[in-house]
Amino acid sequence: TNVWCAPYNASNVLKIDTSSGTSTQLNVTTYSRFEMYSHSSCQVVNTSIWCAPYKGRKALKINTTGSGSGTQFESLPYPPNFKWTTCQAVGTNVWCAPDSADRVLKIDTASSSTNLPGSTYSGNRKYSSCQAVGTNIWCAPYDADKVLKIDTLQEPTASPTPLPTTTSSTSSSTNSSSTTSSSTTSLSPGVVAAIVICSLVGAGLIAFGVWKFFFAHQSLAKGAIVPNQSMANASSANDSAKNAW
């Protein structure tokens, strides 16, 4: 019956008791105002809420039993802001897609520890929305150019899947090495030649149609004059006959 809120620009965790309509601010152990958490980077596992750092370096655990408490743990070696903004819980682990961080974050709730498995990914504001389906987590790109699939059963855990284009690539990596394969679809020379021939034939048919139109127009114009000339000749012949008579 309680709502728990991770601090973003506050100094404490906020507990809202929905049965009494009251709220309480809970002090966080060793908390710094520079540590900020996004609502979408928090996940519930058992009776605790686990949050990845959005700004700052430490993950956050909110214990919802009793009066509640908040504890920060695991200093992470990431200086940029917007590190992880979206997380999903699978089993007892919380997995977070990299926003401006360059690796996936795994929070092991059983040991209150973190891990950064898989490959590194360059760029900022890469992923901000994820959804778990079975044991996989699928993340839509924000400024990245590929969909991200996090396989929670394997190490490596992250493998990018390309967006639908004419170029497709699949990538898999391990903690020690990574492999990438890609293929590009292109037209064969025969197909290109056929397209060129069809274009030339089409242009020729159009030119023939235009010529035929103007030729027919000129023929009709001449046909309209010929009868008049014939009638004039006939009239001259009649006049000559009369004169001879």
Side-chain angles (χ1 to χ4, degrees):
T1 61
N2 296 322
V3 176
W4 302 82
C5 306
Y8 179 77
N9 199 27
S11 301
N12 305 296
V13 171
L14 178 65
K15 173 186 175 182
I16 303 174
D17 188 334
T18 62
S19 60
S20 63
T22 59
S23 62
T24 306
Q25 296 186 43
L26 306 176
N27 291 326
V28 179
T29 305
T30 65
Y31 181 73
S32 168
R33 282 289 294 271
F34 295 103
E35 305 290 336
M36 297 182 181
Y37 302 91
S38 169
H39 69 281
S40 58
S41 66
C42 295
Q43 292 290 310
V44 178
V45 178
N46 297 324
T47 58
S48 296
I49 301 172
W50 304 81
C51 305
Y54 179 67
K55 295 183 179 180
R57 299 180 58 188
K58 294 184 178 181
L60 173 67
K61 174 186 176 182
I62 302 175
N63 184 358
T64 64
T65 59
S67 58
S69 62
T71 305
Q72 289 180 309
F73 62 96
E74 291 286 340
S75 293
L76 295 162
Y78 282 105
N81 295 326
F82 317 115
K83 297 177 184 64
W84 296 277
T85 58
T86 178
C87 302
Q88 290 287 302
V90 177
T92 59
N93 297 320
V94 176
W95 302 82
C96 307
D99 190 329
S100 291
D102 60 5
R103 302 182 75 174
V104 170
L105 172 66
K106 174 185 175 183
I107 301 176
D108 187 337
T109 65
S111 61
S112 295
S113 61
T114 60
N115 185 22
L116 301 171
S119 302
T120 60
Y121 305 99
S122 61
N124 296 320
R125 310 314 308 267
K126 292 180 285 294
Y127 302 98
S128 62
S129 59
C130 291
Q131 185 63 51
V133 179
T135 58
N136 295 322
I137 299 172
W138 300 85
C139 306
Y142 184 79
D143 275 343
D145 59 0
K146 294 180 180 179
V147 172
L148 178 66
K149 172 189 174 184
I150 302 174
D151 186 347
T152 65
L153 296 181
Q154 298 182 4
E155 302 284 351
T157 59
S159 57
T161 301
L163 294 173
T165 60
T166 56
T167 302
S168 62
S169 62
T170 57
S171 171
S172 61
S173 60
T174 62
N175 290 335
S176 59
S177 63
S178 62
T179 60
T180 303
S181 62
S182 62
S183 61
T184 303
T185 303
S186 61
L187 297 177
S188 64
V191 174
V192 174
I195 293 173
V196 172
I197 292 172
C198 291
S199 299
L200 293 175
V201 171
L205 291 175
I206 292 173
F208 176 75
V210 172
W211 173 82
K212 188 175 181 180
F213 171 78
F214 282 105
F215 177 77
H217 179 73
Q218 292 295 329
S219 297
L220 290 175
K222 290 179 180 179
I225 297 172
V226 169
N228 293 335
Q229 291 178 344
S230 299
M231 291 176 65
N233 293 335
S235 176
S236 298
N238 291 335
D239 292 341
S240 298
K242 289 179 181 179
N243 293 333
W245 180 261

